[in-house]
Amino acid sequence: VSFSKGNCGEGCPDVALKECISSCTSDNDCPSGYLCKKSTKECLAEPSPLCTGASCVPVGIYVYDNGSETDDSFGLEIKDAFYGETPAGGGKKWTVPMVDGQTYEMLLYGIGVPDGIGTYAIELTDAVKIDGPSLSGSNLDDGMSFMWHIKAKK
């Protein structure tokens, strides 16, 4: 198997994949099936589906910087899998199929908070029950994280 995107160049063998993808700055630097975790400059495998088929509940998750400076960036993980990061000062929406009635851990962490005031907000579809800290705040700074338990429901 060879990859030919970004830092891998042409014909990077999979045995050297870790070396090839150890310094990404965008998803385009990673091979197909990988996402760039810009905060650590590493390519991580796209998350495996939490659910497949008609019985899944599509859960919409929108994370954004809701401060007046709009300069913050955040990362999202669900069930220990990396889903991506928001652009600085912007937002990102994910639609994650989840098993009805199943509870998952959702982690949000600050990765680019230049002024030390990590202003975040999370919007979720009605298809979830959530337990954890507030879905918005101004205290999610670099290196900090908050965790919620989210439960898909039909």
Side-chain angles (χ1 to χ4, degrees):
V1 175
S2 293
F3 298 99
S4 59
K5 289 184 83 175
N7 295 325
C8 286
E10 288 296 322
C12 174
D14 60 348
V15 294
L17 180 61
K18 185 166 178 56
E19 294 172 17
C20 292
I21 61 176
S22 63
S23 184
C24 66
T25 57
S26 77
D27 290 343
N28 291 332
D29 292 335
C30 300
S32 179
Y34 287 78
L35 299 171
C36 180
K37 186 173 184 179
K38 295 173 210 68
S39 57
T40 59
K41 298 183 191 253
E42 62 184 321
C43 293
L44 300 175
E46 290 178 348
S48 298
L50 299 174
C51 181
T52 58
S55 64
C56 300
V57 178
V59 174
I61 302 168
Y62 180 53
V63 176
Y64 59 97
D65 177 352
N66 71 342
S68 59
E69 294 295 320
T70 59
D71 57 354
D72 303 329
S73 184
F74 306 99
L76 179 73
E77 293 182 10
I78 300 172
K79 197 179 173 190
D80 295 325
F82 176 70
Y83 276 77
E85 298 169 338
T86 64
K92 187 167 182 173
K93 182 175 182 177
W94 293 269
T95 301
V96 181
M98 296 183 177
V99 176
D100 185 29
Q102 178 74 38
T103 300
Y104 300 94
E105 287 183 350
M106 179 176 78
L107 182 74
L108 186 70
Y109 51 92
I111 55 167
V113 183
D115 59 5
I117 304 170
T119 50
Y120 69 95
I122 303 171
E123 295 178 9
L124 300 165
T125 58
D126 291 335
V128 294
K129 179 182 176 193
I130 188 140
D131 179 31
S134 174
L135 291 177
S136 66
S138 60
N139 55 348
L140 187 55
D141 299 336
D142 278 331
M144 292 184 63
S145 62
F146 292 140
M147 184 182 348
W148 293 263
H149 291 97
I150 58 175
K151 185 176 190 177
K153 59 180 183 164
K154 284 192 175 187

